[in-house]
Amino acid sequence: MDFLKEIERRRTFGIISHPDAGKTTLTEKLLLFGGAIQEAGAVKNNKIKKGATSDFMEIERQRGISVATSVLAFIYKDKKINILDTPGHKDFAEDTFRTLTAVDSVIVVIDVAKGVEPQTEKLVEVCRMRSIPMLVFINKLDREGKDAFDLLDEVEQKLGLRVTPMSFPIGMGYDFKGIYNIWEKKLNLFSGDNKTSISEGVEFSDLSNPELDKIIGETAADTLREEIELIDEVYPSFNQEEYLEGKLQPVFFGSALNNFGVKELLEAFIEIAPSPQPKKAEERLVDSKEEKLTGFVFKIHANMDPKHRDRLAFIKIVSGTFKRNAPYLHVRTGKKVKFSSPNAFFAERKEIVEESFPGDIVGIHDTGNFKIGDTLTEGEALNFKGIPSFSPEHFRYVNNADPMKSKQLYKGLDQLMDEGVAQLFTLDMNGRRVVGTVGALQYEVIQYRLEHEYGAKCTYENLAAHKACWVEPENPKSDEFIDFKRVKQRYLAKDKQGQLVFLADSEFTIQMTQNKYPSVKLHFTSEFKK
Ligand code: G4P
């Protein structure tokens, strides 16, 4: 098959949701459709258990298993589908943000009863900022939930999306009869009392046809007619261009657990979702159809076996064909590198691959040379953008608990930060190191891994910081900036890239600082430069 066809048939995406909305179940159902797994439950085992707050060993173990499932690939109707797994646990949200730099589109799963939840809001915001095309799947329709129109409103209001329903539920919970597929003008009904079997969708383009009353009952038929009429009036109709530009989000309803509406979602997905997209590098826009290889590291996974400190770096191919044993340029270090055993991923396994195409993910064994965000090319000095750090929510000083092992401690911290486990700040005033994380869980993970993988010990001390603000002065030589640095001296630090960061202790302080020093901009992500 030729190169362009390979690109066109790829769909690389992520599923995002608040924990428990049904991401794992939906993933599994998609894999079942693709014939990639034989039974339900296969993906479930990789899920970090709910309520796990201190059992980091278990979490690490499960993360270990999930190496194979970090990318789940399957073929459906000749489309090569790559699902990039995003951890549901909120303490690993940074991981999810980074994975979102490697997807071409996303599916957002929402629980019909719970509506839009905080984690969904955060993740969708990131996708919105980057104009990533999004499909919304409203799940668990077999349960009593919110009114469908109220939910659509909520999605618009809370997530800032512009929605277009592609399907609409007929009844809900106990009365859930099925779904009207607006897109294909088909009626999909449950058959049987236990709501486990589904009829194949029957064409039903004219809802005024009295046949509808016979099939779903008069009341339900009337309601459906009114609802579809309202949808026609109120919502924009589907427009693929707007969807691809991130300006319109199609919404589907269904029940992942009962396999209802999943096939419709998948069929629509392969039809409308984008194949690998051009990606911005600092230097220029790189088109996926370019023949020379480019790619970037979006995730690094530590080996679970402490005796082997190698790691798996996940590379998203942006353009060109990745070939085993071909020499590539590791742009940051300027070194030529070759990979003798690159891995490709499938649903339940990974295997050595000879070549990969744009949209694919390749896993490379790494002994500590790669960092998140690193770029590979055939010689061009390119740096892909878009792996920003967000402000951590927790901050602690790191103290060395074993003075004989300080070298190990700093090396360990350095490498864990390269993996993106947490962020490291060095205080300007006294050089003390501060670790910032999204969740408290990371501190235990770091402590444990420092000890087991690097033989170093650390303790923590709380730092009363609220947010890390990346500082951008209009004029670094202005009196205002000099005054800012003098007054805030105790709270200034450098991140790992050497950028200046202000560790503010409250929202109030941020406000006050912005008022007092209007020419000193405070940003909440590390990537604020154009
Ligand atoms: P997550 O990955 O987003 O965290 O969610 P997951 O798929 O694990 O689903 C969370 C719970 O919701 C699971 O139940 C799952 O079975 C259930 N679920 C998913 N889709 C549907 C649906 O369409 N209808 C209904 N009624 N339930 C659904 P659990 O009891 O927490 O786990 P389990 O014991 O079933 O594994």
Side-chain angles (χ1 to χ4, degrees), residues 248-261:
L248 181 70
Q249 289 76 25
V251 179
F252 295 81
F253 291 83
S255 162
L257 190 66
N258 296 297
N259 230 341
F260 204 90

Side-chain angles (χ1 to χ4, degrees), residues 323-454:
K323 294 198 173 98
R324 189 163 86 94
N325 278 327
Y328 294 121
L329 174 69
H330 180 204
V331 176
R332 183 172 54 82
T333 58
K335 285 188 183 140
K336 285 267 173 189
V337 283
K338 267 187 191 179
F339 306 102
S340 59
S341 49
N343 285 297
F345 300 88
F346 300 93
E348 288 174 303
R349 68 201 149 89
K350 55 185 172 51
E351 62 185 41
I352 290 176
V353 68
E354 290 298 328
E355 50 178 28
S356 290
F357 298 96
D360 283 340
I361 310 300
V362 178
I364 302 291
H365 287 280
D366 170 43
T367 48
N369 299 317
F370 284 114
K371 262 192 199 184
I372 285 186
D374 280 1
T375 303
L376 286 182
T377 68
E378 291 191 21
E380 189 179 351
L382 273 184
N383 291 284
F384 282 107
K385 292 171 53 140
I387 310 214
S389 303
F390 291 85
S391 174
E393 289 166 24
H394 304 262
F395 298 86
R396 291 184 195 172
Y397 289 113
V398 201
N399 296 323
N400 186 0
D402 182 351
M404 303 297 287
K405 297 281 170 63
S406 57
K407 217 173 117 191
Q408 285 85 336
L409 179 76
Y410 296 129
K411 181 172 181 196
L413 275 176
D414 219 44
Q415 290 206 346
L416 293 182
M417 300 303 134
D418 288 349
E419 272 178 37
V421 176
Q423 293 179 55
L424 191 71
F425 303 100
T426 310
L427 285 182
D428 274 4
M429 203 174 57
N430 53 17
R432 284 189 79 179
R433 286 172 173 76
V434 172
V435 169
T437 67
V438 180
L441 199 54
Q442 256 85 342
Y443 290 106
E444 294 179 51
V445 172
I446 293 169
Q447 211 167 31
Y448 178 86
R449 289 191 51 194
L450 280 174
E451 188 170 345
H452 288 81
E453 293 170 35
Y454 298 89

Side-chain angles (χ1 to χ4, degrees), residues 222-235:
D222 282 345
T223 312
L224 180 66
R225 287 184 188 113
E226 276 169 28
E227 287 171 336
I228 299 295
E229 209 176 297
L230 193 60
I231 288 171
D232 275 348
E233 281 167 21
V234 176
Y235 295 100

Side-chain angles (χ1 to χ4, degrees), residues 175-194:
D175 286 329
F176 185 42
K177 294 187 168 57
I179 272 164
Y180 184 64
N181 183 336
I182 299 173
W183 197 45
E184 291 183 316
K185 300 208 180 321
K186 277 184 179 169
L187 205 53
N188 283 35
L189 298 177
F190 271 132
S191 50
D193 288 342
N194 56 4

Side-chain angles (χ1 to χ4, degrees), residues 130-343:
R130 301 194 191 140
S131 306
I132 299 176
M134 285 181 258
L135 293 178
V136 178
F137 183 71
I138 297 185
N139 190 27
K140 307 197 186 180
L141 262 288
D142 56 312
R143 285 198 185 158
E144 288 305 322
K146 298 189 182 186
D147 171 76
F149 284 107
D150 288 348
L151 261 175
L152 292 173
D153 271 356
E154 198 177 321
V155 169
E156 289 198 320
Q157 303 296 329
K158 282 199 182 164
L159 298 179
L161 302 182
R162 189 167 154 255
V163 300
T164 173
M166 301 286 263
S167 68
F168 208 75
I170 306 170
M172 187 186 289
Y174 181 75
D175 286 329
F176 185 42
K177 294 187 168 57
I179 272 164
Y180 184 64
N181 183 336
I182 299 173
W183 197 45
E184 291 183 316
K185 300 208 180 321
K186 277 184 179 169
L187 205 53
N188 283 35
L189 298 177
F190 271 132
S191 50
D193 288 342
N194 56 4
K195 299 195 172 159
T196 47
S197 39
I198 305 145
S199 66
E200 265 297 306
V202 284
E203 295 277 345
F204 215 101
S205 50
D206 179 12
L207 288 180
S208 63
N209 188 334
E211 199 55 26
L212 185 67
D213 303 64
K214 285 190 204 143
I215 305 175
I216 60 173
E218 212 171 302
T219 322
D222 282 345
T223 312
L224 180 66
R225 287 184 188 113
E226 276 169 28
E227 287 171 336
I228 299 295
E229 209 176 297
L230 193 60
I231 288 171
D232 275 348
E233 281 167 21
V234 176
Y235 295 100
S237 49
F238 175 71
N239 173 312
Q240 189 172 13
E241 220 162 277
E242 286 185 314
Y243 155 69
L244 292 176
E245 286 168 359
K247 292 181 182 152
L248 181 70
Q249 289 76 25
V251 179
F252 295 81
F253 291 83
S255 162
L257 190 66
N258 296 297
N259 230 341
F260 204 90
V262 178
K263 188 155 176 262
E264 287 72 19
L265 177 74
L266 181 59
E267 299 275 338
F269 173 80
I270 57 167
E271 190 95 347
I272 67 173
S275 51
Q277 294 297 291
K279 187 154 178 81
K280 267 193 197 145
E282 272 165 31
E283 296 75 8
R284 65 182 184 87
L285 189 70
V286 180
D287 196 288
S288 54
K289 298 181 187 73
E290 291 179 21
E291 277 179 15
K292 290 206 166 142
L293 175 101
T294 65
F296 67 96
V297 178
F298 68 96
K299 180 180 180 123
I300 293 178
H301 212 302
N303 194 326
M304 288 303 107
D305 179 354
K307 284 187 219 86
H308 298 98
R309 212 189 283 157
D310 69 332
R311 321 183 282 186
L312 204 58
F314 290 79
I315 295 172
K316 159 96 187 269
I317 312 294
V318 178
S319 67
T321 309
F322 178 96
K323 294 198 173 98
R324 189 163 86 94
N325 278 327
Y328 294 121
L329 174 69
H330 180 204
V331 176
R332 183 172 54 82
T333 58
K335 285 188 183 140
K336 285 267 173 189
V337 283
K338 267 187 191 179
F339 306 102
S340 59
S341 49
N343 285 297

Side-chain angles (χ1 to χ4, degrees), residues 477-523:
K477 295 208 175 98
S478 69
D479 289 346
E480 193 171 307
F481 184 54
I482 291 166
D483 190 49
F484 165 84
K485 285 207 292 192
R486 186 181 54 79
V487 173
K488 300 295 179 193
Q489 193 185 21
R490 286 178 50 209
Y491 308 98
L492 295 179
K494 298 278 185 327
D495 71 3
K496 265 201 91 190
Q497 279 65 48
Q499 298 193 99
L500 186 64
V501 174
F502 168 47
L503 301 174
D505 60 7
S506 68
E507 215 45 55
F508 180 71
T509 305
I510 296 174
Q511 279 292 325
M512 292 293 287
T513 310
Q514 276 173 331
N515 292 342
K516 193 168 169 202
Y517 304 103
S519 77
V520 180
K521 289 219 177 67
L522 301 180
H523 300 274

